[in-house]
Amino acid sequence: MRYTKYLLLVLVLVAITLASCTGAATNNIAKPDMQQRKTFENKEQILAAIDKLELESYNRNLTPEDIKTLETVLPLDDHAMEDFFQETLWLAEHNQGEHIGHSLSFIYSYVQTGEPLICVPLEIDHLKLYIEFNDTDRIENAVQASSNGYDGWVRQSEQAKKLLPAYYRDFDRLKQEAKLTIEKVEQKDYEGALPHIEYVSLHQVC
C-alpha cells in the first residue's frame, strides 16, 4: 500500500495543478454524468475510513467485510462512487490486495478533488484480472471505460508530463500499448491483448 500513497499523491498533485493551469483539466476524463465538481459533506469521515483500511492492510489482507465498512460513509447513490466501491469490493472478494489499494486511492482522490478520474493504465491493469477470472461483464465495462477515457487521459498526461517529465518518460510507448490493448479486447482477442496489457501494467502512469 505504500505504492497507493505515492499514486494518490501523484493523482491529487496532477489534478490540482492542471486544474489551476487550465481551469478544467480533469473534466477531460470525468464520466459523462459527473461533469461538475462534487462536494462531500462527510469528506473527513470518508478519508479517515480509507486511512483506517490502509493501516489495516499493513498487517493483513483486506477482506470483503472490511470493504463493506465503507458502505456506512460512502454516498453510494453517486454513480461514480458506486462504481469505485463495487470494483474495490470485487478485488477484495478475489484477494487482490495490491489492486485494492489502487481502487481505494481513486475513492480518496475523488473525495479530495470532487471529480472522478479514469486512469486508463489502471483500468487495463484490472482488466487483466477480469480476463483471468473470466468476468465478462467487468471486461466489457473496463474496456469501455478505457476507450471512453483514452483521449482525455492522453491530454491530461501530456500536460502532466510537462510538470513531471521523469515520471512520464515512457508515456509515448505507453499510450500506444494502451490503445492496442483496447483494440484487441474490443475484438475479444484476449490472448493477443496480453503482451500489451503486461507492458501497460509494468509502465503504468496516470
Side-chain angles (χ1 to χ4, degrees), residues 57-158:
S57 74
Y58 288 131
N59 300 315
R60 60 180 177 82
N61 290 331
L62 295 177
T63 66
E65 288 69 30
D66 292 319
I67 303 305
K68 288 177 182 178
T69 62
L70 294 175
E71 288 180 304
T72 61
V73 295
L74 296 180
L76 296 180
D77 57 336
D78 178 282
H79 179 68
M81 188 67 79
E82 170 71 8
D83 283 351
F84 287 141
F85 173 77
Q86 291 298 334
E87 177 183 54
T88 309
L89 183 60
W90 186 95
L91 292 168
E93 290 171 344
H94 293 81
N95 197 30
Q96 300 297 319
E98 178 184 350
H99 296 278
I100 291 172
H102 300 162
S103 292
L104 288 176
S105 74
F106 274 80
I107 296 174
Y108 202 105
S109 175
Y110 182 25
V111 174
Q112 285 278 44
T113 66
E115 293 180 324
L117 303 182
I118 292 178
C119 176
V120 170
L122 280 179
E123 289 282 356
I124 289 173
D125 197 29
H126 292 176
L127 181 59
K128 178 173 61 176
L129 298 174
Y130 305 148
I131 292 172
E132 178 183 343
F133 287 98
N134 196 32
D135 191 323
T136 54
D137 287 341
R138 289 204 167 271
I139 292 171
E140 182 177 340
N141 290 340
V143 75
Q144 181 177 359
S146 298
S147 180
N148 291 344
Y150 180 85
D151 290 341
W153 165 68
V154 169
R155 287 193 297 269
Q156 173 174 284
S157 297
E158 292 287 4

